[in-house]
Amino acid sequence: MRLPLLLLLSTLPASAQDWVWWEGEAAATHNFNSRDFAPRNYGEKKESLSGGDWLFNGGAVGADPVGATWKVRVPVDGEWQLWARKFWKHGPFEWRFDAGPWAACGRDIGLADNVVLAPNICANWVALGPGRLKGGERTFEIRLSAKSGEPGTACFDCFLLTRVPFSPRGKLKPGERTGLAEKGWWAWEPDADAFGKEAVLDLSFLNEKEAGAKGFVKAKGEEFLLGDGKPVRFWGVNCGPDVWGLGRAGHEYLAGRLAKCGVNLARLHGPVFDAKALDGLHSLVSALKARGIYVSLSFYFPLWVNAGPEFGLEGYDTIENKRPFAAIYFDTEFQAKYRGWAKTLLTTKNPYTGKPLADDPAVAIVELVNEDSLFFWTFADRNIPEPERALLEKAFGAWLAKHGGLPASWPRHDRDGAGRAGLFSAWDMTAQGIAQGAAKKTRMAAQVRFLAETQRAFYADTAAWLRKDLGLKCLVSASNWRTADEAQLGAIERWTYAAGDVLDRHGYFGGKHEGARAAYAISVGDTFEDRSALRTPWATPVPFVQYEGRPHFISEIGWSGPNRLRADAPLFAAAYGSLDGMRAFGWFAVAGPSWQESPSKFPLSTPSVLGQFPAAALIFRRGDIKEGPVVLRQSLDIERQLDLDGCGFAEEAALDDLRAADVPRGAKTAPDARFDPRMFLVGKVVRAFGPPSLEQADLRPFIDNGKKVVKSATGELTCDYGRGILTVDTPNAQAAAGFLGDAGPLKLGDVTLEMKNRYGCIVVVSLDGKPLATSAKVLVQAFTQEKTYGFRVDAGGRIEDLGAGPLNIENLDASVTFKGTAPRKATALDEHGYAKEKSELKIAGGASVLKLNTGTIYTILER
């Protein structure tokens, strides 16, 4: 052990009894080897570490365990929350105070924030849990979990004991702010929400007191219904294993934040392979339930499985890809493993609620498969090893034997002389693939019919097993994926999903982004382009084909980074989701309990997205925007679909960059000229299975080709895609988004909106449910753009510096003018919806004018 170093304690004078901070590098004793992770290697980024340094260890662990101790003065007896700032999930360790029992921090710990120091090097806060401590000097001790010879990578920046809510923001201590903002921008540095006083803006009143209090969510036609039969729309988010690992206090804090923002559904998306993960999920479910937030469970995704014999899967050691795409649909041994996971997830008693998830009405949906299909590009020889392919091809041969035999003239007609019929890849089932003659189409039609029946049977059999054997009472969603050719195979895919209760899809929107890790991360050296959804609104995740008889859910939706034009996303989704009949959204993905500061590929917990939830969630959930009339209804004969007649059109694929990599270069779906993609902006596009028919409204009254403007058939939405501007004009909500700096004053029913900033979003919505003309309480929500302080891009769109926080928000130059001169009081709110500044609206020219100020997103107006 080394000689003791000076212990650095930092306390804020105003709350000296509430928290204690100590530096990792100031350990009293330690035997860390100080290899590989010296802060001097990170240049200026080392200043992102508290004290500019950390305690670090590299290489393999030697004969002695690696550990450290600190002397910490705890101010008073009481309950304390312990936090550590460390290098990602590296360095699982155990910790204790004095000679108390050891507690573990594993690799599955949830990360509460993220600050990038260098490629693949970051610093993250983790919550280690609450505990009762006596005041006075205590010895804090850690030891790495790695044994002799095992990798011993570990870095510790600092630690915190606190009795007050803590919002992790890099090296900042509780109550600290940097104030760092570039010219024309302001610093976004909110404290943690104390939930200790009544917020002026709090949408949790929209939720039930407890999710499921009135029974299980049901489906009726295209609607979701609460247990009492009342229709409900879901404004949701995705939470993965990192969030499950935040601990009880983190779960309760996050649930409170989400409810205030208008969230009433969380999709819990991740594998549950061990008891600790299940306990974290159970804790999160109970915390969400207590805030009136339902859950949807997504527990299987091929990318979470490293295929091998332990999963009943053979042959993956012979191919590069180790993910079992397609196998779940036909490999019975793998299905048995899958059913074991489902049984553990759904029948284990939740210690926080006293009942298993199968019996909990807070569980709205169980999803069977995430992002896999027998009709997507991953259905190819390169992804399915010979032992697995043999299983499926023998089943195809048996199926053919029941349907007239196996023609010897067919390609791949009998691979091993045992009635095994060869299967072609996804490309061969596309319009491009079958355009090789009638014989090829006949061959592919048989294959498609077999695969469709196989896929649908898996969904139907699994749903029946869940209900009969596990007692599942909630709704079932089969899957959410795309096909290699939606105009050819999309309706068939949805027909297989009809074995469940809900129809789901995924969709992402973003600009061009190139770089070595661009599919999942943002790095220095990447190039990108900003892109507005309002220039090509039909090419976004929101427009969708509604299949009759099922409620629809986009369980993953997001505007991917580093695209900076994201502020219009929640409003756009609320507007056109309402028009087209969407019943639920799941924004991807919550990164932790706090706001994100570092650039992220899938940014949600930022002011531009989560910060825009309140107005958008209220508009969507309350139904302020009318559902549109049907502008196209197509009825399809499923038999003819299975014969590869095709359905003619489809929504935008809207894949995220990670899964878009599965699409072969040059693959295309030929558009059908009979269908104008702008129809989704006019009204509902509906599809049914039945006798073939097509009913199509005249879209000409709603589309101005010269001005590039599309109006909804309801008259409430106008999209000027030529200029990139959306306006919403309803009795309860009026808004504008996009390139408003080019628009000048926009006169709507009760307000005139004006923004001098190039791009932004302004929403005015009634909070009391009355029309804006008579409402006593109105929310004005306005935003422009955000970026991390220090973020730098050259003229060619190449990222030179990711920045180091805090988030900066562009100064706002905008106003809202209300008709009439009735006195109105304006209350500017902070980031958590609490009042911070009050004023009176100015009266000018027979109208009330609200000047929107820099430093706030939300303003409440009261008569």
Side-chain angles (χ1 to χ4, degrees):
M1 293 288 187
R2 299 184 179 180
L3 293 175
L5 300 175
L6 176 65
L7 175 64
L8 303 177
L9 294 180
S10 176
T11 57
L12 191 68
S15 54
Q17 302 295 303
D18 288 333
W19 58 271
V20 182
W21 181 288
W22 63 100
E23 297 292 333
E25 65 273 17
T29 62
H30 76 85
N31 64 343
F32 279 58
N33 62 23
S34 300
R35 285 176 48 192
D36 301 336
F37 300 99
R40 65 176 179 271
N41 297 330
Y42 312 142
E44 293 182 358
K45 294 300 182 184
K46 74 176 185 179
E47 299 305 320
S48 296
L49 294 172
S50 178
D53 201 357
W54 58 5
L55 181 67
F56 54 100
N57 192 78
V61 172
D64 296 326
V66 178
T69 66
W70 294 260
K71 297 296 183 181
V72 180
R73 183 164 295 280
V74 179
V76 295
D77 296 358
E79 287 288 327
W80 294 85
Q81 176 75 36
L82 176 63
W83 292 79
R85 191 174 190 229
K86 60 189 291 288
F87 175 18
W88 196 61
K89 300 187 179 187
H90 295 299
F93 68 100
E94 296 175 299
W95 59 272
R96 68 179 179 180
F97 281 94
D98 301 323
W102 291 98
C105 173
R107 285 183 63 89
D108 55 356
I109 190 73
L111 305 178
D113 77 336
N114 182 64
V115 174
V116 176
L117 304 174
N120 300 313
I121 309 291
C122 53
N124 312 84
W125 280 104
V126 297
L128 298 180
R132 187 164 187 84
L133 290 173
K134 285 187 173 294
E137 187 175 86
R138 308 263 73 88
T139 297
F140 177 68
E141 182 178 3
I142 67 170
R143 65 185 184 191
L144 299 190
S145 303
K147 307 302 181 184
S148 178
E150 295 178 347
T153 296
C155 306
F156 294 90
D157 182 29
C158 50
F159 300 88
L160 170 69
L161 276 175
T162 179
R163 298 195 303 161
V164 296
F166 175 56
S167 181
R169 298 199 311 276
K171 68 178 183 180
L172 296 184
K173 301 175 178 68
E176 278 191 346
R177 291 180 175 84
T178 67
L180 293 172
E182 300 188 23
K183 185 177 180 180
W185 301 69
W186 57 280
W188 172 271
E189 298 183 284
D191 287 328
D193 192 337
F195 297 107
K197 55 183 178 177
E198 184 179 356
V200 181
L201 177 59
D202 182 352
L203 296 187
S204 59
F205 72 90
L206 294 172
N207 293 359
E208 297 168 281
K209 294 297 183 183
E210 179 180 90
K214 300 170 185 176
F216 282 87
V217 172
K218 298 181 285 290
K220 183 178 181 181
E222 292 81 40
E223 299 281 357
F224 288 115
L225 305 177
L226 294 176
D228 60 1
K230 181 181 178 181
V232 62
R233 293 181 180 181
F234 291 111
W235 189 265
V237 297
N238 278 259
C239 299
D242 271 357
V243 176
W244 310 353
L246 290 174
R248 186 66 185 169
H251 294 156
E252 292 176 344
Y253 180 85
L254 176 62
R257 278 193 65 210
L258 293 175
K260 285 180 69 174
C261 291
V263 170
N264 63 338
L265 179 72
R267 178 175 179 252
L268 308 188
H269 176 58
V272 186
F273 291 157
D274 58 62
K276 188 172 182 180
L278 182 58
D279 183 73
L281 183 144
H282 277 155
S283 172
L284 181 56
V285 168
S286 70
L288 294 166
K289 178 178 181 176
R291 290 288 188 165
I293 300 174
Y294 287 85
V295 299
S296 173
L297 301 175
S298 169
F299 68 94
Y300 173 73
F301 183 19
L303 291 183
W304 296 333
V305 178
N306 194 15
E310 67 272 25
F311 294 113
L313 297 164
E314 301 291 342
Y316 285 88
D317 57 339
T318 66
I319 62 174
E320 181 177 354
N321 173 58
K322 308 302 181 187
R323 310 305 178 186
F325 291 113
I328 193 64
Y329 299 110
F330 60 85
D331 187 318
T332 56
E333 286 190 43
F334 188 42
Q335 288 172 359
K337 192 75 174 180
Y338 166 97
R339 289 190 173 192
W341 297 329
K343 184 176 181 180
T344 298
L345 173 66
L346 296 171
T347 64
T348 301
K349 183 179 178 180
N350 184 341
Y352 303 93
T353 65
K355 60 178 64 177
L357 297 177
D359 293 335
D360 194 337
V363 178
I365 302 168
V366 169
E367 174 189 301
L368 303 185
V369 174
N370 178 70
E371 293 190 358
D372 197 10
S373 170
L374 295 175
F375 300 105
F376 188 60
W377 295 107
T378 46
F379 187 76
D381 286 352
R382 68 181 185 279
N383 293 320
I384 306 174
E386 170 57 24
E388 296 298 318
R389 178 167 286 277
L391 290 175
L392 187 57
E393 292 186 344
K394 287 178 181 178
F396 184 31
W399 183 91
L400 285 170
K402 293 180 180 179
H403 293 78
L406 181 64
S409 60
W410 279 15
R412 298 189 179 187
H413 76 284
D414 193 345
R415 279 189 159 183
D416 58 11
R420 175 181 167 185
L423 289 165
F424 286 79
S425 70
W427 182 87
D428 292 280
M429 295 182 278
T430 66
Q432 286 179 289
I434 65 174
Q436 297 182 12
K440 180 69 179 296
K441 183 175 180 180
T442 301
R443 170 69 175 82
M444 283 301 105
Q447 173 172 318
V448 165
R449 186 180 291 267
F450 162 70
L451 294 177
E453 291 180 3
T454 299
Q455 186 165 294
R456 181 171 170 129
F458 168 78
Y459 294 139
D461 293 348
T462 304
W465 173 79
L466 289 172
R467 292 192 167 105
K468 181 180 178 182
D469 289 37
L470 303 189
L472 186 72
K473 300 176 180 64
C474 71
L475 302 175
V476 172
S477 173
S479 190
N480 43 43
W481 205 212
R482 311 293 294 176
T483 66
D485 185 343
E486 282 290 291
Q488 184 69 49
L489 303 167
I492 297 171
E493 179 81 1
R494 300 307 177 274
W495 174 76
T496 73
Y497 294 177
D501 307 301
V502 179
L503 290 186
D504 187 4
R505 62 168 295 202
H506 289 173
Y508 292 84
F509 180 84
K512 182 181 178 181
H513 179 204
E514 296 179 341
R517 304 189 304 156
Y520 57 89
I522 300 172
S523 308
V524 170
D526 289 0
T527 58
F528 76 98
E529 296 175 358
D530 291 324
R531 182 185 177 200
S532 169
L534 301 178
R535 297 289 194 189
T536 55
W538 51 87
T540 68
V542 179
F544 74 102
V545 179
Q546 183 180 78
Y547 284 77
E548 291 182 346
R550 297 288 189 281
H552 286 62
F553 182 16
I554 302 181
S555 64
E556 284 187 24
I557 184 172
W559 265 233
S560 302
N563 178 28
R564 291 170 289 191
L565 303 180
R566 301 194 305 271
D568 52 34
L571 176 66
F572 182 86
Y576 286 104
S578 296
L579 180 76
D580 291 345
M582 183 59 63
R583 292 299 183 263
F585 287 105
W587 292 86
F588 197 88
V590 172
S594 305
W595 298 96
Q596 292 172 258
E597 289 193 341
S598 296
S600 167
K601 185 64 180 181
F602 302 108
L604 171 58
S605 303
T606 66
S608 66
V609 185
L610 185 63
Q612 306 309 301
F613 269 22
L618 181 60
I619 288 170
F620 179 74
R621 291 181 57 187
R622 198 168 60 187
D624 287 347
I625 295 172
K626 296 176 185 174
E627 188 167 320
V630 175
V631 296
L632 185 146
R633 185 183 186 278
Q634 182 187 43
S635 181
L636 299 173
D637 182 341
I638 187 58
E639 294 299 318
R640 289 175 59 174
Q641 290 299 299
L642 294 171
D643 286 338
L644 297 179
D645 277 10
C647 54
F649 69 92
E651 318 97 326
E652 182 76 9
L655 301 175
D656 66 89
D657 288 344
L658 182 64
R659 298 310 309 274
D662 292 321
V663 180
R665 187 171 296 178
K668 296 180 180 180
T669 298
D672 190 321
R674 294 177 299 164
F675 305 104
D676 188 330
R678 295 172 296 180
M679 62 187 172
F680 295 103
L681 309 178
V682 177
K684 291 169 59 177
V685 177
V686 173
R687 186 172 280 158
F689 292 111
S693 66
L694 179 66
E695 303 167 54
Q696 196 168 4
D698 184 359
L699 301 180
R700 288 175 296 179
F702 309 106
I703 299 177
D704 187 323
N705 290 310
K707 294 182 177 179
K708 297 183 178 179
V709 172
V710 181
K711 293 182 179 291
S712 68
T714 61
E716 296 180 337
L717 307 179
T718 301
C719 185
D720 180 342
Y721 63 90
R723 295 191 297 168
I725 297 169
L726 166 68
T727 58
V728 177
D729 195 352
T730 80
N732 285 17
Q734 292 164 29
F739 297 97
L740 302 184
D742 298 331
L746 292 168
K747 295 183 179 181
L748 304 175
D750 299 289
V751 299
T752 298
L753 307 178
E754 185 171 11
M755 179 178 284
K756 299 296 178 63
N757 304 77
R758 173 175 172 266
Y759 166 87
C761 181
I762 307 174
V763 186
V764 183
V765 59
S766 161
L767 283 173
D768 57 15
K770 297 178 182 179
L772 289 174
T774 58
S775 175
K777 192 172 184 180
V778 171
L779 167 64
V780 178
Q781 180 177 290
F783 193 79
T784 51
Q785 299 183 65
E786 70 193 13
K787 65 177 180 178
T788 303
Y789 178 77
F791 184 81
R792 294 286 182 271
V793 182
D794 69 16
R798 179 184 178 274
I799 299 174
E800 297 179 324
D801 195 325
L802 294 175
L807 278 179
N808 281 191
I809 297 176
E810 185 183 6
N811 291 345
L812 191 62
D813 186 0
S815 64
V816 180
T817 302
F818 293 82
K819 291 181 179 179
T821 58
R824 295 177 187 262
K825 295 181 179 180
T827 304
L829 309 182
D830 69 8
E831 299 87 345
H832 298 301
Y834 300 111
K836 68 175 186 178
E837 183 180 337
K838 295 188 177 184
S839 63
E840 294 278 346
L841 262 65
K842 295 180 180 179
I843 307 298
S848 303
V849 181
L850 171 66
K851 174 66 176 176
L852 296 172
N853 297 317
T854 291
T856 187
I857 295 175
Y858 314 112
T859 304
I860 297 294
L861 302 180
E862 296 176 283
R863 289 182 183 272

